[in-house]
Structure formats: structure tokens, C-alpha cells
């Protein structure tokens, strides 16, 4: 089985030493994707005070940015949105954010023409940058017959 790394020139730069995605056989595994924009340390949907503490979160903005970044990684690796088969999402505040996340998720994934992948949503106490959501996904890139 061949394994191939992929980096996107549209998705935000990784915050560590890892590629945006790896293709192994017929699967494309995406690294965790956050809401930042390429070339910027600013985080859409996050307001920080002078000390760098989070003072406000707009989860809708963060979710949309995450999903747009996932799409960029997929496309730059030769895959499509409809190739997604599994999505794992990390939220830092399930009580505050799940309802909003679920609504935005349904716009991107549910319904005709969308991939409707399997999904797991878990709460964690923090992420490596002051973001409220991160998306990890797997896509099928094998035979499309």
C-alpha cells in the first residue's frame, strides 16, 4: 500500500510538524482542521483581550471556517466534499456549542447532494490554540464506480 502526504496551500498552516492529510490506499485521512485562515494567526469567531484570553466565541463563524478549510484540504488532495465518510469533531464546550454546531453541520452535511458521513462529537478541555472547534475527517478516494 502506498502512503502519500498532502499539504494545502489554501488551508491554514498546521500548528505542528504534520501534513494536512495522508492518503493510504483508498482512504484520505485529514489532520485536525481548525477555523484559522491561511497566512494569519487571527481566529475567525474568537475575540481575545489584551492578554490573549478568549472573551467571546462565535461558534457559527468557526464551524463554517472549519468546514471550508476541510473542503480546501480535500480538494487540494484530489478529493471532493462528497467523498467524506467519517467526521470527528472536538468541541471545548458541549453545553454552549453543540446546538449551534449541529445546525451548521446539517447545512454542510445533511440532505440531498451532501455526503452525510458517520460522525462523532466529543468535548475536550482545550485545543492547541484558542479555538472552540476542530474537525478531523476521513474520505474514501478509491474507485468511484
Amino acid at each position: 500500500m502506498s502512503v502519500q502526504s498532502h499539504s494545502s496551500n489554501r488551508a491554514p498552516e498546521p500548528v505542528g510538524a504534520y501534513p494536512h492529510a495522508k492518503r493510504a490506499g483508498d482512504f484520505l485521512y485529514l489532520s485536525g482542521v481548525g477555523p484559522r485562515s491561511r497566512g494569519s494567526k487571527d481566529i475567525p469567531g474568537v475575540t481575545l483581550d489584551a492578554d490573549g484570553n478568549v472573551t467571546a466565541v462565535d461558534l457559527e463563524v468557526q464551524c463554517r471556517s472549519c468546514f471550508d478549510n476541510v473542503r480546501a484540504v480535500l480538494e487540494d488532495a484530489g478529493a471532493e466534499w462528497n467523498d467524506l465518510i467519517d467526521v470527528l469533531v472536538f468541541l471545548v464546550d458541549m453545553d454552549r456549542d453543540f446546538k449551534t454546531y449541529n445546525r451548521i453541520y446539517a447545512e454542510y452535511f445533511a440532505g440531498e447532494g451532501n455526503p452525510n458521513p458517520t460522525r462523532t462529537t466529543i468535548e475536550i478541555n482545550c485545543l492547541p490554540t484558542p479555538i472552540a472547534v476542530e474537525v478531523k475527517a476521513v474520505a474514501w478516494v478509491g474507485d468511484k464506480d
Side-chain angles (χ1 to χ4, degrees), residues 94-106:
M94 189 75 74
D95 290 339
R96 178 191 70 194
D97 297 336
F98 184 75
K99 185 176 179 180
T100 300
Y101 166 72
N102 212 34
R103 178 175 52 81
I104 302 305
Y105 182 94

Side-chain angles (χ1 to χ4, degrees), residues 13-49:
E13 296 84 349
V15 296
Y18 55 85
H20 285 114
K22 275 203 180 263
R23 180 176 177 156
D26 291 335
F27 294 94
L28 182 69
Y29 298 89
L30 277 64
S31 296
V33 178
R36 286 182 302 111
S37 297
R38 180 105 187 151
S40 175
K41 299 254 187 245
D42 293 338
I43 302 168
V46 172
T47 305
L48 302 173
D49 65 17

Side-chain angles (χ1 to χ4, degrees), residues 1-7 19 21-25 27-29 77:
M1 171 178 64
S2 67
V3 177
Q4 182 179 16
S5 293
H6 295 275
S7 292
K22 275 203 180 263
R23 180 176 177 156
F27 294 94
L28 182 69
Y29 298 89

Side-chain angles (χ1 to χ4, degrees), residues 68-121:
D68 291 344
N69 287 337
V70 165
R71 187 182 304 270
V73 172
L74 287 167
E75 290 173 354
D76 288 352
E80 299 175 0
W81 187 252
N82 285 337
D83 295 331
L84 287 168
I85 59 170
D86 186 57
V87 173
L88 171 61
V89 175
F90 304 96
L91 296 175
V92 297
D93 189 331
M94 189 75 74
D95 290 339
R96 178 191 70 194
D97 297 336
F98 184 75
K99 185 176 179 180
T100 300
Y101 166 72
N102 212 34
R103 178 175 52 81
I104 302 305
Y105 182 94
E107 288 180 28
Y108 280 78
F109 291 97
E112 189 174 332
N114 288 318
N116 197 19
T118 60
R119 179 183 114 180
T120 304
T121 306

Side-chain angles (χ1 to χ4, degrees), residues 114-132:
N114 288 318
N116 197 19
T118 60
R119 179 183 114 180
T120 304
T121 306
I122 61 173
E123 181 182 58
I124 59 173
N125 67 353
C126 70
L127 288 160
T129 61
I131 60 178

